[in-house]
């Protein structure tokens, strides 16, 4: 039959490589097998007629691209063809974002005397006073039945906190040796009083929550309040609700598995046309960003979601999450009436989301409805204990919060429905005067946005009884502390917002509550330090029996340990009685106790949770104190993505994080035992917990121990015994994503490599970039140098920043795709995976 290669035997080796590379490219394009050989041979023949031997592969691939699309040369038509083929229709071009309807955010200045001192927002911001403000707004609100009830309840709460606090503080003064007559003892009494009041707030909140749940029905629950208006006629799907999830370098499999589970749940309600989904990415990791694009495209293709499921990645990450949400509102907020905000680990039931929209329609004066998310899905021992606590104690505390907040509730940043128009009118966040950490961008934006919407007259309600709302907790103590360090900086900024003009008292109280969540740790640390100093001082210094001069009656120092035990018992009641009440609530509902493994396992789990919490409390105290002090000293933190996976804490990391605290605790305990043995035994639980902080941190992070407690039936939660469909879907979809990722060639599992090599992923990314950017010749020369280095030394030679630069350049993406597939040397092609090996593509 002669030479099988029509281009000549003296070029067989080089053109054979070109032919094999063309076959590999056609496999990657998923072209029918019966057409591959013919197309590859035709491309080689066309290329051989016009190119030198050294350009064989590149010329063949250029010719091939023209043939498969039926065009004379590769270009934008070929790009559209590849994206269309991935959808299954060459004529269809997917939609990444809807048509914009631009509208500015309204920026309401904040801070004390904000009219003089607050910085003005940027150009184009809509600064406007609320229509009703101050006295007129309060007069209007007084017509709502819940406002009068709220005032009475809050007054009762204040009295129940302050009166016992003053009594306990006086009692504490009598307990001390000099009955509070020295400056040191006065300081101890003051700090103790503040801490006692802080603990009392939690106790009374839990108690009123217990009473609310015992009644079984709350006439002021947003789910039961009579509608203010009939449903709007437009609530027929023509004005869909936007479901938005802002993300930044989050685990892609988990993010999209959660969104797909939510989508399926809404589909089961038959209301999917009433919802649009937005994935709002701030990811700057190039591998994560490409993985997001692939996951979005595959999801849309699977459910036919183009035009209903959207994806956008910001080029510039301004103001973190709040800026991402504000950017969505400015671009597309005018298209929607409501938005449901999700976090990266959020899951919600479709029935709950539909119900939230109905409640907003029924109550046109409501601006936000916040759900109470329950913790689920984690396996480490630490996370399982936190999940158990959130299920057992959480409902009672959230019901108690609602009892005194009513329509002046708070926004926790996710699993919430928001009325977009007033949010855009009033909730734009200006920068605080001064430098970070207490100035600059407002970090804990959610509380501030709720306060601003409340200041404009809109109600914010906590739907504590709605259900169908879940989130995930950190897998270990150190992961929790990493998150708390970020939250601490954001909450301390609220000190500057407490006196913002026009805010209602409930929101000022919530600001202070956020501050005290961390400052209370510093006060506890101060109380222990002052008590230690007092104990040592009384040992080392001879007491002065006549501090006020000569007298017939000396002042004897009197230490009353029995009184101290009584005071400790009162504090113990405040701390632990809510846990007993939570058990009573579950026990009264027999069916619920079975959801926790039965009454015996429930009681044992609570006892173990109390022990664990007692060990963790001093460790958290030290960390939170350190966070508060470093922030007050001007040190800021870098906000990174929270860890979303179960991960064991290594002994090395634990020693590095807890080692100094352990050494200090040992020295503290040894010194106290030597100087004041009596006081040493009072603080032994705290010292002991700090000494054990390294093994406690390591062991609690272990997944194996968490799985062991689950087999024993401990720390069970209802979702483990009878998982809802949404959580079943979440697990299945995550496993499916893991299998798909494993099917991708190993070299291409990095998103950057896949965006360069995989024809479909490359086309998708190139299409999402839209048009090119103008740049001068020096900058273009720098980009070419980066491309040359990547091709010569492999993708690992580029830094993450350099990869990000290339991926944001459409021309660079096109050029690298063509040149990588044309690499003639298999050794140099190997780091890129498919071009050198010719392995088939894993298209989806």
């Amino acid at each position: 039959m002669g030479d099988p290669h029509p281009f000549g035997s003296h070029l067989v080796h080089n053109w054979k490589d070109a032919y094999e590379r063309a076959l590999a490219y056609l496999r990657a394009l998923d072209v029918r097998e019966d057409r591959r050989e013919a197309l590859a041979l035709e491309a080689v023949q066309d290329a051989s007629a016009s190119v030198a031997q050294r350009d064989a592969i590149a010329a063949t691939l250029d010719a091939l691209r023209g043939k498969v699309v039926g065009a004379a040369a590769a270009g934008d038509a070929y790009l559209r063809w590849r994206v269309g083929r991935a959808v299954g229709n060459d004529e269809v071009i997917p939609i990444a974002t809807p048509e914009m309807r631009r509208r500015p955010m309204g920026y309401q200045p904040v801070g004390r005397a904000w009219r003089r001192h607050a910085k003005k927002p940027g150009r184009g911001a809509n600064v406007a006073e609320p229509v009703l403000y101050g006295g007129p707004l309060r007069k209007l609100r007084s017509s709502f039945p819940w406002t009068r009830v709220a005032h009475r309840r809050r007054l009762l709460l204040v009295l129940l906190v302050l009166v016992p606090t003053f009594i306990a503080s006086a009692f504490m003064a009598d307990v001390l040796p000099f009955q509070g007559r020295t400056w040191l003892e006065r300081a101890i009494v003051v700090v103790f009083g503040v801490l006692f009041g802080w603990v009392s707030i939690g106790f009374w909140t839990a108690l009123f929550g217990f009473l609310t749940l015992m009644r079984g029905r709350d006439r002021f629950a947003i789910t039961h309040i009579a509608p203010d208006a009939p449903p709007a006629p437009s609530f027929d799907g023509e004005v869909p609700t936007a479901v938005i999830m802002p993300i930044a370098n989050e685990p892609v499999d988990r993010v999209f598995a959660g969104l797909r589970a939510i989508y399926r749940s809404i589909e089961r309600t038959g209301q999917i046309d009433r919802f649009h989904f937005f994935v709002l990415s701030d990811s700057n990791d190039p591998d994560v960003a490409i993985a997001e694009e692939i996951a979005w495209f595959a999801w849309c293709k699977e459910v036919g979601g183009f035009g209903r499921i959207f994806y956008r990645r910001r080029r510039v990450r301004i103001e973190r999450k709040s800026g991402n949400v504000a950017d969505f509102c400015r671009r597309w907020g005018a298209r929607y009436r409501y938005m449901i905000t999700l976090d990266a680990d959020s899951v919600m039931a479709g029935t709950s989301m539909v119900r939230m929209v109905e409640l907003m329609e029924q109550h046109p004066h409501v601006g936000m409805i916040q759900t109470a998310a329950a913790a689920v899905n984690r396996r480490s021992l630490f996370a399982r204990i936190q999940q158990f606590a959130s299920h057992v104690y959480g409902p009672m505390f959230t019901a108690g919060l609602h009892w005194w907040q009513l329509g002046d509730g708070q926004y926790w940043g996710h699993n919430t429905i928001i009325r977009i128009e007033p949010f855009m009118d009033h909730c734009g966040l200006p920068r605080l005067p001064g430098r970070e950490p207490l100035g600059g961008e407002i970090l804990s934006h959610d509380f501030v946005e709720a306060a601003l919407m409340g200041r404009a007259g809109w109600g914010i309600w906590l739907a504590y009884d709605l259900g169908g709302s879940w989130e995930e907790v950190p897998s270990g103590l150190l992961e929790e502390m990493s998150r708390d360090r970020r939250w601490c900086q954001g909450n301390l900024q609220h000190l500057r917002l407490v006196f913002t003009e026009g805010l209602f008292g409930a929101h000022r109280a919530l600001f202070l509550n956020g501050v005290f969540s961390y400052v209370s740790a510093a006060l506890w640390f101060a109380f222990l330090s002052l008590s230690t100093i007092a104990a040592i001082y009384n040992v080392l210094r001879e007491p002065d029996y006549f501090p006020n001069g000569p007298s017939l009656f000396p002042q004897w120092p009197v230490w009353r340990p029995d009184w101290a035990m009584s005071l400790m018992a009162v504090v113990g009641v405040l701390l632990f009685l809510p846990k007993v009440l939570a058990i009573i609530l579950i026990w009264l509902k027999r069916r619920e106790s079975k959801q926790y493994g039965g009454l015996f396992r429930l009681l044992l789990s609570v006892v173990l949770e109390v022990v664990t919490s007692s060990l963790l409390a001093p460790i958290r105290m030290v960390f939170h104190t350190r966070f508060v002090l470093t922030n007050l000293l001007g040190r800021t933190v870098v906000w990174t993505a929270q860890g979303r996976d179960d991960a064991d804490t290594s002994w090395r990391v634990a020693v590095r994080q807890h080692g100094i605290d352990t050494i200090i605790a040992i020295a503290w305990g040894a010194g106290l035992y030597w100087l004041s043995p009596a006081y040493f035994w009072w603080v032994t639980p705290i010292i002991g917990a700090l000494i054990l902080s390294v093994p406690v941190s390591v062991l609690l992070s272990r997944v194996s121990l968490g799985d062991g407690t689950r087999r024993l039936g401990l720390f069970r939660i209802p979702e483990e015994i009878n998982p809802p469909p949404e959580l079943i879907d979440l697990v299945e979809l995550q496993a499916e994503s893991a299998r798909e990722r494993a099917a991708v060639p190993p070299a291409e599992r990095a998103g950057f490599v896949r965006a360069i090599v995989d024809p479909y992923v490359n086309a998708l990314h190139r299409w999402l970039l839209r048009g090119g950017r103008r740049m001068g010749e020096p900058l273009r020369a720098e980009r070419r140098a980066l491309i040359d280095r990547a091709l010569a030394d492999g993708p690992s030679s580029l830094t993450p920043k350099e990869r990000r630069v290339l991926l944001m350049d459409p021309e660079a993406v096109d050029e690298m795709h063509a040149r990588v597939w044309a690499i003639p040397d298999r050794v140099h092609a190997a780091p890129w995976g498919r071009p050198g090996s010719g392995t088939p593509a894993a298209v989806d």
Side-chain angles (χ1 to χ4, degrees), residues 438-493:
L438 298 183
E441 296 176 10
I442 297 176
L443 302 182
S444 291
H445 58 92
D446 36 21
F447 279 28
V448 182
E449 289 161 347
L452 293 177
M453 187 170 278
R455 183 173 72 173
W458 295 88
I460 297 95
W461 291 82
L462 173 58
Y464 67 93
D465 57 344
L466 186 57
S469 178
W470 300 279
E471 63 179 347
E472 295 174 358
V473 295
S475 62
L477 176 63
L478 292 180
E479 181 62 39
E480 180 186 79
M481 291 301 99
S482 176
R483 180 199 65 182
D484 280 5
R485 186 179 182 187
R486 301 189 299 268
W487 287 3
C488 177
Q489 179 175 329
N491 278 269
L492 287 180
Q493 286 182 322

Side-chain angles (χ1 to χ4, degrees), residues 107 281-282 312 314-327 330 429 431 441-443:
Y107 285 81
S281 174
D282 269 350
R312 178 176 187 264
R314 292 199 298 172
R315 290 177 179 266
V316 182
R317 307 198 306 171
I318 299 174
E319 296 180 343
R320 301 179 178 88
K321 180 179 176 180
S322 63
N324 201 354
V325 174
D327 181 78
R330 283 190 293 265
L429 299 180
R431 293 178 63 89
E441 296 176 10
I442 297 176
L443 302 182

Side-chain angles (χ1 to χ4, degrees), residues 165-421:
T165 296
F166 282 117
I167 295 173
S169 299
F171 198 81
M172 181 67 185
D174 290 336
V175 166
L176 296 173
F178 291 98
Q179 289 75 54
R181 290 189 295 269
T182 67
W183 68 267
L184 189 57
E185 290 188 352
R186 293 191 193 100
I188 292 173
V189 170
V190 170
V191 174
F192 172 82
V194 175
L195 290 173
F196 188 91
W198 170 250
V199 173
S200 297
I201 294 173
F203 170 79
W204 292 112
T205 298
L207 180 61
F208 288 120
F210 171 79
L211 296 175
T212 300
L213 295 177
M214 282 290 290
R215 286 198 303 267
R217 183 175 178 85
D218 181 1
R219 66 190 179 99
F220 286 109
I222 189 63
T223 51
H224 295 139
I225 294 179
D228 297 331
S234 59
F235 185 53
D236 56 3
E238 294 181 4
V239 184
T241 295
V243 180
I244 67 171
M245 179 180 281
I247 56 175
N249 299 319
E250 303 285 355
V252 177
D253 289 352
R254 170 61 184 83
V255 165
F256 281 88
L259 285 169
R260 290 166 68 190
I262 294 171
Y263 188 94
R264 286 185 181 182
S265 183
I266 299 177
E267 273 189 321
R268 288 191 286 268
T269 69
Q271 306 292 324
I272 192 62
D273 291 338
R274 293 182 174 181
F275 295 87
H276 284 179
F277 286 74
F278 285 81
V279 181
L280 307 174
S281 174
D282 269 350
S283 299
N284 60 359
D285 183 316
D287 292 334
V288 173
I290 297 301
E292 290 171 359
E293 295 174 0
I294 297 170
W296 165 76
F297 191 79
W299 179 24
C300 290
K301 180 183 175 184
E302 175 191 352
V303 301
F306 294 108
R308 187 164 58 244
I309 302 171
F310 305 107
Y311 173 83
R312 178 176 187 264
R313 183 159 59 90
R314 292 199 298 172
R315 290 177 179 266
V316 182
R317 307 198 306 171
I318 299 174
E319 296 180 343
R320 301 179 178 88
K321 180 179 176 180
S322 63
N324 201 354
V325 174
D327 181 78
F328 160 79
C329 290
R330 283 190 293 265
R331 291 171 178 267
W332 301 292
R335 298 177 62 94
Y336 303 96
R337 184 178 299 150
Y338 312 115
M339 61 179 175
I340 296 177
T341 58
L342 301 174
D343 215 347
D345 56 9
S346 295
V347 179
M348 294 194 71
T351 53
S352 298
M353 299 173 79
V354 171
R355 178 63 174 148
M356 290 164 71
V357 175
E358 292 174 349
L359 290 171
M360 294 293 276
E361 289 289 313
Q362 294 168 3
H363 302 283
H365 297 294
V366 172
M368 297 180 180
I369 298 177
Q370 171 71 62
T371 64
V376 293
N377 273 4
R378 285 302 181 89
R379 295 171 53 202
S380 71
L381 180 56
F382 177 86
R384 295 200 72 242
I385 293 173
Q386 303 308 306
Q387 289 174 177
F388 174 79
S390 80
H391 280 75
V392 175
Y393 317 132
M396 187 173 61
F397 278 96
T398 53
L401 284 174
H402 170 266
W403 181 86
W404 66 266
Q405 291 176 355
L406 293 183
D408 291 324
Q410 58 201 107
Y411 169 41
W412 293 326
H414 58 94
N415 296 39
T416 308
I417 188 167
I418 299 174
R419 197 178 298 270
I420 291 182
E421 185 175 3

Side-chain angles (χ1 to χ4, degrees), residues 21 25 54-59 61-62 65 82 755-757 762 780-793 806 811-826 828-830 832 834-836:
R21 194 66 58 83
Y25 199 78
R54 60 187 176 83
D55 297 320
I57 294 176
L61 291 175
D62 283 342
R65 294 185 188 104
R82 280 188 291 168
I756 299 303
V757 176
N762 174 265
R780 177 56 62 191
E782 291 181 12
R783 300 287 169 85
R784 293 196 193 100
L786 281 180
I787 294 172
D788 292 340
R789 174 149 58 88
L791 295 173
D793 302 332
L806 291 177
E811 292 184 20
V813 170
D814 285 340
E815 181 179 347
M816 289 191 70
H817 177 70
R819 290 181 62 181
V820 164
W821 273 95
I823 296 175
D825 182 359
R826 290 182 180 272
H828 286 90
W832 299 93
R834 201 175 315 184

